C-alpha cells in the first residue's frame, strides 16, 4: 500500500481544499483496498450555488447558526443535498428524508476521514459513523488503520430506552443457523442435530395457523435441545415460550422490548451497516446479525450486499462485544470464505431448503464449522 492514494482527480471538496485533499489521501491509503466508488459525493464547507444529490453541506450546529441556516437547510434538502450539522459533541446528518444523530468526539481531521470513508464506498450515514470513530494520527499506526475500537465509536441519539433488564444471553458461537419457512422444516432440521434455527413466516396467514406453526417449532426445539428463534412475530413467540425472537431495525420502535426481555427471551437484531450496528447495540441484544453479506433472493434488502471485506471489519469491531451472525446469500460454496473472516455463526436458507438431500447438506455445512 502506498503512502498516498490519489483522489485529486475527483471533486472531493467545495470550495477546493488542497490541504484537506492531501489529508484524505493519507487516510485513504491506510484503509485497505476497496472497489472504486461511483457515488459522486462532494463535501461542501460552504454552500454551492446549486446544491445537488451528491453534496454533503457541513454547517455548525450551534443554536444561532442553526437558526440562521434553518431556511437554507430546508431548501438544500429539497434540492437533494445532504446536510451535516457538526458541533462539539457530535454531528447530525440529514439526507433523503432521514435524520441520523450521533454523539461523539470530532477529531481535527474528521472531514478528511469522512471523504476517505465515502471513497471506500460507504453510504454517508455509515461514513459519518466511521469519521467520528477516527482519531487524529490513526493513519500513522498501521497499514490498515480501520477503526476497530468500539470505545471510540459514537452513540446514536434519540432512540427509545433500552429495557432495564438485559436480554438473556445466547452462546457466543451459534454455529450453523438455518432460517426455515415452516414448522415442518424446523422439526426436520432439528432432527438432523442442528442447534440453532429460525422460523421465518412472511406470508399473511390466519392468526391460529401462525400460532400453531410457532408452537410446533418451539416444541421441536425443546424435543431436540435446539435454540429456536421466531422472526418478527414476537407476541406469538412470547405466548409459546420461544427461546428467542429475531427482529428488524424498524421493529425496535414498535415491539415491546421490555416484555420480551422480562420474559427471558433472547433477542437478535438485523443490521446493514455501522449506523444500524450502533442502534442495535443500544438495546443490548443477545446477538447482532450482519448482512446481507451477498445478494439474496429470499427477501428485499434495503442496502447493497456488504461483501466479505466489510464483514471482516465488522467482526473485528464486534468480536468479544456481542455474538454476531453473518446472514444473506450464504451458500455452501461461499461458507468457508465467510467463516474465514472470523465470524463463528452464519445463517443459511436455500443451502438447506433447496438441497436435493437436506440431511447430507446440513452434515456438510456443519463440517465447515468444525474445521
Amino acid at each position: 500500500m502506498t503512502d498516498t492514494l490519489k483522489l485529486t482527480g475527483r471533486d472531493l471538496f467545495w470550495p477546493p481544499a488542497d490541504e484537506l485533499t492531501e489529508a484524505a489521501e493519507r487516510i485513504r491509503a491506510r484503509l485497505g483496498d476497496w472497489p472504486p466508488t461511483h457515488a459522486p459525493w462532494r463535501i461542501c464547507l460552504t454552500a454551492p450555488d446549486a446544491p445537488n444529490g451528491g453534496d454533503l453541506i457541513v454547517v455548525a450546529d450551534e443554536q444561532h447558526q442553526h437558526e440562521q441556516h434553518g431556511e437554507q437547510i430546508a431548501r438544500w434538502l429539497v434540492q437533494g443535498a445532504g446536510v451535516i450539522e457538526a458541533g462539539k459533541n457530535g454531528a447530525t446528518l440529514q439526507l433523503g428524508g432521514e435524520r441520523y444523530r450521533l454523539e461523539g468526539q470530532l477529531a481535527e481531521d474528521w472531514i478528511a476521514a469522512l471523504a476517505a470513508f465515502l471513497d471506500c464506498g460507504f453510504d454517508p450515514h455509515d461514513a459519518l459513523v466511521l469519521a467520528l470513530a477516527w482519531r487524529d494520527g490513526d493513519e500513522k499506526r498501521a497499514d490498515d488503520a480501520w477503526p476497530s475500537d468500539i470505545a471510540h465509536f459514537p452513540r446514536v441519539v434519540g432512540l427509545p430506552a433500552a429495557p432495564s433488564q438485559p436480554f438473556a444471553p445466547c452462546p457466543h458461537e451459534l454455529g450453523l443457523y438455518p432460517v426455515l419457512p415452516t414448522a415442518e422444516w424446523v422439526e426436520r432440521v432439528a432432527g438432523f442435530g442442528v442447534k440453532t434455527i429460525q422460523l421465518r413466516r412472511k406470508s399473511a396467514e390466519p392468526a391460529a395457523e401462525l400460532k400453531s406453526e410457532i408452537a410446533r417449532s418451539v416444541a421441536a426445539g425443546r424435543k431436540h435441545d435446539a435454540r429456536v428463534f421466531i422472526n418478527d412475530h414476537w407476541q406469538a413467540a412470547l405466548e409459546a415460550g420461544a427461546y428467542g425472537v429475531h427482529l428488524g431495525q424498524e421493529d425496535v420502535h414498535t415491539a415491546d422490548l421490555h416484555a420480551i426481555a422480562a420474559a427471558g427471551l433472547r433477542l437478535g437484531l438485523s443490521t446493514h451497516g455501522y449506523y444500524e450496528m450502533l442502534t442495535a447495540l443500544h438495546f443490548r441484544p443477545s446477538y447482532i446479525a450482519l448482512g446481507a453479506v451477498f445478494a439474496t433472493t429470499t427477501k428485499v434488502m434495503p442496502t447493497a450486499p456488504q461483501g466479505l471485506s466489510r464483514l471482516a471489519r465488522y467482526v473485528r469491531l464486534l468480536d468479544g462485544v456481542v455474538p454476531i451472525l453473518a446472514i444473506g446469500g450464504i451458500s455452501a460454496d461461499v461458507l468457508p470464505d465467510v467463516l474465514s473472516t472470523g465470524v463463528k455463526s452464519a445463517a443459511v436458507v436455500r443451502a438447506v431448503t433447496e438441497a436435493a438431500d437436506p440431511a447430507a447438506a446440513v452434515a456438510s455445512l456443519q463440517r465447515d464449522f468444525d474445521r
Side-chain angles (χ1 to χ4, degrees):
M1 184 69 67
T2 59
D3 289 339
T4 60
L5 184 67
K6 295 299 182 186
L7 305 177
T8 50
R10 296 179 50 208
D11 191 9
L12 292 179
F13 301 102
W14 177 260
D18 291 343
E19 188 174 331
L20 268 178
T21 299
E22 291 172 2
E25 288 176 343
R26 289 195 304 270
I27 293 171
R28 177 65 184 86
R30 291 292 182 265
L31 298 181
D33 295 321
W34 295 88
T37 179
H38 301 292
W41 300 116
R42 180 175 66 163
I43 300 173
C44 302
L45 305 180
T46 60
D49 292 335
N52 59 55
D55 285 339
L56 299 173
I57 303 172
V58 180
V59 299
D61 74 347
E62 285 81 359
Q63 183 65 28
H64 69 281
Q65 291 279 3
H66 183 82
E67 293 173 354
Q68 177 183 348
H69 290 296
E71 292 185 6
Q72 286 182 312
I73 289 174
R75 184 166 62 253
W76 295 333
L77 294 172
V78 168
Q79 292 171 319
V83 176
I84 299 174
E85 297 178 84
K88 294 180 180 179
N89 299 316
T92 298
L93 167 67
Q94 296 183 68
L95 179 66
E98 299 293 335
R99 187 178 181 89
Y100 306 92
R101 298 175 58 198
L102 294 166
E103 181 181 89
Q105 178 180 334
L106 286 171
E108 183 176 338
D109 58 4
W110 75 273
I111 292 178
L114 175 62
F117 291 118
L118 287 169
D119 188 72
C120 292
F122 285 83
D123 289 336
H125 57 292
D126 287 328
L128 184 60
V129 167
L130 289 163
L132 266 67
W134 187 260
R135 296 294 180 266
D136 292 325
D138 275 359
E139 76 278 9
K140 300 175 183 177
R141 298 193 177 102
D143 286 342
D144 185 350
W146 201 268
S148 59
D149 185 348
I150 194 65
H152 290 170
F153 275 67
R155 182 178 71 89
V156 176
V157 179
L159 296 173
S164 56
Q165 177 178 334
F167 289 97
C170 63
H172 182 70
E173 299 182 11
L174 290 170
L176 180 64
Y177 187 124
V179 179
L180 304 171
T182 65
E184 182 179 358
W185 267 109
V186 171
E187 293 165 343
R188 189 177 182 187
V189 172
F192 297 156
V194 176
K195 293 305 180 185
T196 311
I197 298 171
Q198 181 187 129
L199 173 70
R200 183 164 69 189
R201 301 282 295 187
K202 289 296 185 181
S203 59
E205 58 189 319
E209 183 178 338
L210 173 65
K211 290 182 178 181
S212 174
E213 285 285 297
I214 291 174
R216 283 179 58 187
S217 298
V218 170
R222 290 175 179 156
K223 177 181 178 180
H224 297 283
D225 192 26
R227 300 174 285 267
V228 174
F229 288 86
I230 306 300
N231 185 283
D232 282 355
H233 303 290
W234 59 270
Q235 299 101 322
L238 278 175
E239 294 175 12
Y243 179 86
V245 295
H246 181 96
L247 301 177
Q249 287 276 313
E250 66 283 356
D251 298 316
V252 299
H253 299 281
T254 57
D256 190 341
L257 300 185
H258 300 268
I260 296 170
L265 272 67
R266 286 79 178 168
L267 174 68
L269 287 178
S270 294
T271 68
H272 309 92
Y274 282 102
Y275 186 89
E276 291 192 355
M277 281 181 223
L278 297 181
T279 299
L281 285 174
H282 167 80
F283 296 102
R284 299 177 294 176
S286 308
Y287 74 83
I288 288 178
L290 310 172
V293 180
F294 304 107
T296 176
T297 60
T298 60
K299 61 184 295 189
V300 177
M301 299 305 301
T303 57
Q306 300 288 319
L308 294 175
S309 294
R310 293 193 187 197
L311 177 61
R313 284 164 172 81
Y314 298 158
V315 171
R316 189 190 311 172
L317 175 66
L318 296 179
D319 188 34
V321 176
V322 63
I324 50 181
L325 168 74
I327 191 169
I330 300 174
S331 65
D333 292 340
V334 299
L335 180 59
D337 295 328
V338 170
L339 297 179
S340 72
T341 66
V343 72
K344 304 298 184 184
S345 311
V348 296
V349 183
R350 291 180 297 163
V352 172
T353 60
E354 295 185 7
D357 184 342
V362 165
S364 178
L365 293 165
Q366 291 278 32
R367 284 195 291 271
D368 286 327
F369 285 89
D370 296 336
R371 291 190 177 115

